[in-house]
Amino acid sequence: SSELTQDPAVSVALGQTVRITCQGDSLRSYYASWYQQKPGQAPVLVIYGKNNRPSGIPDRFSGSSSGNTASLTITGAQAEDEADYYCNSRDSSGNHLHWVFGGGTKLTVL
Amino acid sequence: QVQLQQWGAGLLKPSETLSLTCAVYGGSFSGYYWSWIRQPPGKGLEWIGEINHSGSTNYNPSLKSRVTISVDTSKNQFSLKLSSVTAADTAVYYCARGRSITIFGVVITSYYYYMDVWGKGTTVTVSS
C-alpha cells in the first residue's frame, strides 16, 4: 500500500514561519489532511482539502500541495503550536480504498 | 456538536480478542465513514479500517486477516474486533468520523476526504 513520508522533527523560532511536508504517491490523486496532536490527546484536524481550516483553527495554519507533496505552513508560530503533526490521505492503490497516515513530524517552537 | 464516545477492555492476554465500541452522539450516522485508528506508545498513527452506515467495510491490508468492524445503526454505534492479539497490538485506539465533500469548480471537480471528529482514545495493553 502507499505510504506518506514526513520529516521526523522540525523546529521553528517563536513567531517565525515553518513548513511541514508530506510526500507520497496517493497525494497525486487525493488532497492531504493535517492533524495536530498534543501529548495525551487525540488528534485534531487543522487543514483539509485544498486549503481549508475547520472552525476554531487559527488562520496562521495553511495548506498547499503540488504533485506528490503536500505542505502545512504555520505563519507566526506560537508556543501552543508545539505538537506532533500528521498528514493523511485517501488511497486507492491495489484496487481497494483505504487511508494512509504519514509517520508524523514533531514540531518544536524555540 | 458531534461527539464520539468509545469504550472497551483495556487489558488483554496474548491470543485474546480485542473488542471496542464507539457511539456517535449529536449527529447523523449515515453519509460518513467510521474509522478505527491506533497509535502504539511513542509511535505514529495507523489506520485499521472503516465502515459506513450500510455496513460496507475497508480494512488495512496488514491487519485485514484479524480485523472485523461492524455497525449497529439502531444505536448509532460501530465496533472493532481484533483477534489473536500480541504485545505488538498494545496501543491507544481511536475511533473517528471520516467524511468526503465534493467541490464543483468552473473547470474541475475536487473531492476532499478527511477525519473531522475523533474519540478520546482507549488504551489497550496486551500482556501475559
Side-chain angles (χ1 to χ4, degrees):
Chain A
S1 62
S2 178
E3 296 180 352
L4 297 178
T5 301
Q6 298 181 240
D7 291 330
V10 171
S11 62
V12 61
L14 184 67
Q16 296 303 301
T17 296
V18 62
R19 175 175 291 181
I20 299 170
T21 61
C22 173
Q23 288 188 305
D25 288 341
S26 63
L27 301 181
R28 296 186 185 278
S29 302
Y30 299 96
Y31 285 103
S33 49
W34 291 91
Y35 305 83
Q36 176 192 70
Q37 186 181 37
K38 296 182 178 179
Q41 298 182 18
V44 173
L45 177 70
V46 294
I47 290 289
Y48 66 95
K50 191 173 183 179
N51 181 18
N52 298 81
R53 285 177 288 105
S55 173
I57 301 302
D59 61 5
R60 63 178 178 272
F61 289 88
S62 62
S64 62
S65 65
S66 178
N68 73 335
T69 301
S71 299
L72 172 70
T73 299
I74 307 174
T75 303
Q78 302 299 302
E80 61 263 33
D81 299 334
E82 186 163 290
D84 294 326
Y85 291 85
Y86 293 91
C87 60
N88 97 330
S89 79
R90 269 304 201 183
D91 186 359
S92 52
S93 63
N95 291 323
H96 65 276
L97 194 60
H98 52 283
W99 296 87
V100 287
F101 282 95
T105 297
K106 183 175 183 61
L107 176 65
T108 300
V109 180
L110 304 173
Chain B
Q1 184 79 355
V2 176
Q3 292 186 338
L4 304 183
Q5 183 176 343
Q6 55 181 109
W7 65 90
L11 180 60
L12 297 172
K13 290 181 168 48
S15 80
E16 292 184 334
T17 295
L18 178 156
S19 183
L20 299 174
T21 297
C22 182
V24 180
Y25 296 106
S28 173
F29 196 73
S30 63
Y32 300 97
Y33 309 90
W34 301 98
S35 276
W36 289 98
I37 299 107
R38 69 180 183 179
Q39 185 171 36
K43 296 187 178 181
L45 301 168
E46 179 182 33
W47 179 73
I48 299 170
E50 68 181 355
I51 193 165
N52 65 11
H53 71 282
S54 61
S56 177
T57 55
N58 290 304
Y59 297 128
N60 184 326
S62 68
L63 297 168
K64 186 175 183 177
S65 63
R66 298 194 292 132
V67 173
T68 301
I69 297 176
S70 59
V71 65
D72 185 342
T73 54
S74 67
K75 296 181 180 179
N76 278 11
Q77 295 177 359
F78 61 107
S79 298
L80 167 70
K81 291 190 184 300
L82 179 66
S83 64
S84 305
V85 297
T86 69
D89 295 310
T90 293
V92 177
Y93 286 74
Y94 296 100
C95 56
R97 184 177 79 172
R99 62 186 304 182
S100 64
I101 59 174
T102 304
I103 307 297
F104 295 98
V106 174
V107 176
I108 62 172
T109 297
S110 300
Y111 303 92
Y112 297 170
Y113 297 89
Y114 52 99
M115 298 179 180
D116 64 340
V117 183
W118 292 65
K120 292 183 183 296
T122 300
T123 299
V124 176
T125 302
V126 180
S127 174
S128 56

